Amino acid sequence: MGTFRETLDLRALRFALVFPMLLAIGFASCSQMLRNNLPDPVAVMWNADGGSSFAPFGAYVAGGSGLIALFGWVTFIQAVPLSRPVVMRRIMMGIGLMVSLFMTTVLAAGLVGQSGVGNARLSHVDPIVLAMGSGAALALGVVMMFAFKPDPRWTAEDDAALQSELRLLADPDLARDSLRMWVHARSSVFVMIIVSAGFPAALIAVVIPWLGALVAAAALVAASFLFARVRADRDGLQVFAAGVLRVLRVPAGDISAAAAADVKAADFGGWGLRHHEDSTAMLVSSGPAVVVNQRNGRRVALSAGTQDAADKVAGILNRAANRAQHGGQA
């Protein structure tokens, strides 16, 4: 029994069982307030001409309360097992709330639409109650998806994080061997892009707006790729063009040596991401850079902005490669 309980999110289970039941009790209690204004029997199905199927008031309320509880339990219970992905559990918890509230809305709209009507055949489902209740059910369901916090469960990602922390304890220098930085082209390059593309785009937009917008967008994309985000740490090197698109990744185990150098972009094929002969480069300008030699014979070059930054990145990568080569020991 203990093992079975460990597979369930007990907080979610309690909510899944109690909320639909309380909602059903609330519906039954509120229905009693309308009892004296309802026809007997009440309609339980409708067509274009009004009520078409009928049942005693007690059967309508009891059956409706049972449906609210049943549909709520069936849907909510999908969010309880810990073995299911967290995202799925969040979604099912939100859908459970939507379904429960929508069932209550439909049943309540059926009763409100019959209030004050002498003959149930002349009744209709109240559209205002149905519309407002459905909107609230949808909105609250979405809120539940974001607000619900599933019980924590140990995963493979947690194992990886634990091993990472253990490595930090064994080798405190690992915590310092991490560098994040941005590099970008010189300001004169961006001025050139504005002059060569921005002004013509503005003139073209006067005559053909969509073409002017297209030229401006192309210039903006080209300029964004003259920015790069560099991440160097114990895992190796990663470079993200425009800050978000990963264009280079060199694991620490693939690095044989790294060195700071003063390079010319033309030697590697030009600015931006280039594949030139046996090298790959992400250079936003000529000048200080880091050149990484890989064990497979290829080279990787990336702009570093300043000579000091290039020295730091090269030092981190060399130490990361040394640790990887000696099984994690410096």
Side-chain angles (χ1 to χ4, degrees):
M1 185 62 181
T3 303
F4 175 72
R5 291 186 61 181
E6 290 173 358
T7 64
L8 303 177
D9 185 335
L10 297 182
R11 290 187 304 122
L13 179 61
R14 286 193 293 268
F15 185 86
L17 295 176
V18 173
F19 180 78
M21 184 171 60
L22 293 178
L23 200 59
I25 293 173
F27 168 73
S29 301
C30 292
S31 298
Q32 299 299 324
M33 300 178 185
L34 298 175
R35 179 68 185 91
N36 294 331
N37 295 325
L38 296 173
D40 190 18
V42 295
V44 296
M45 294 184 66
W46 290 263
N47 56 27
D49 299 324
S52 61
S53 297
F54 309 92
F57 172 79
Y60 183 100
V61 173
S65 299
L67 288 175
I68 292 171
L70 177 63
F71 277 84
W73 287 335
V74 169
T75 313
F76 273 125
I77 207 70
Q78 307 305 317
V80 173
L82 290 172
S83 58
R84 291 179 179 164
V86 170
V87 173
M88 177 185 175
R89 293 169 60 202
R90 284 177 176 268
I91 292 174
M92 293 311 300
M93 186 62 77
I95 292 177
L97 193 68
M98 289 184 199
V99 170
S100 301
L101 294 176
F102 180 71
M103 285 296 304
T104 307
T105 295
V106 171
L107 293 164
L111 285 182
V112 173
Q114 300 179 67
S115 180
V117 177
N119 190 334
R121 288 184 172 82
L122 304 178
S123 67
H124 292 86
V125 175
D126 189 280
I128 296 177
V129 173
L130 183 62
M132 294 180 64
S134 300
L138 177 62
L140 291 172
V142 172
V143 170
M144 174 62 83
M145 291 181 191
F146 287 97
F148 173 57
K149 296 185 181 299
D151 272 352
R153 178 171 176 265
W154 197 266
T155 64
E157 289 78 10
D158 296 314
D159 284 328
L162 176 61
Q163 293 301 319
S164 176
E165 292 302 318
L166 290 176
R167 287 198 300 270
L168 283 175
L169 292 174
D171 187 357
D173 288 338
L174 283 175
R176 294 190 293 270
D177 275 354
S178 179
L179 179 66
R180 309 286 190 274
M181 67 178 185
W182 285 81
V183 293
H184 58 81
R186 295 183 178 90
S187 58
S188 59
V189 175
F190 296 108
V191 172
M192 181 183 69
I193 292 176
I194 293 174
V195 171
S196 62
F199 289 161
L203 296 175
I204 294 172
V206 175
V207 181
I208 309 176
W210 68 266
L211 183 57
L214 182 63
V215 173
L220 182 62
V221 171
S224 68
F225 274 79
L226 293 179
F227 286 85
R229 180 164 58 93
V230 179
R231 177 189 299 171
D233 53 29
R234 59 185 178 273
D235 295 323
L237 172 69
Q238 295 185 74
V239 181
F240 299 83
V244 294
L245 181 62
R246 189 171 71 182
V247 294
L248 284 177
R249 181 177 183 274
V250 185
D254 293 347
I255 299 173
S256 62
D262 193 79
V263 303
K264 294 182 178 179
D267 294 338
F268 291 87
W271 295 340
L273 179 65
R274 301 289 179 177
H275 296 282
H276 184 68
E277 296 178 353
D278 63 344
S279 63
T280 301
M282 180 60 197
L283 299 173
V284 296
S285 65
S286 299
V290 178
V291 179
V292 180
N293 294 315
Q294 296 180 259
R295 297 187 184 280
N296 60 7
R298 294 188 60 81
R299 292 188 305 162
V300 171
L302 66 137
S303 294
T306 65
Q307 190 62 42
D308 182 57
D311 290 333
K312 288 181 179 178
V313 172
I316 290 172
L317 295 179
N318 283 324
R319 288 191 293 273
N322 187 43
R323 289 189 185 95
Q325 183 179 1
H326 295 86
Q329 300 297 323

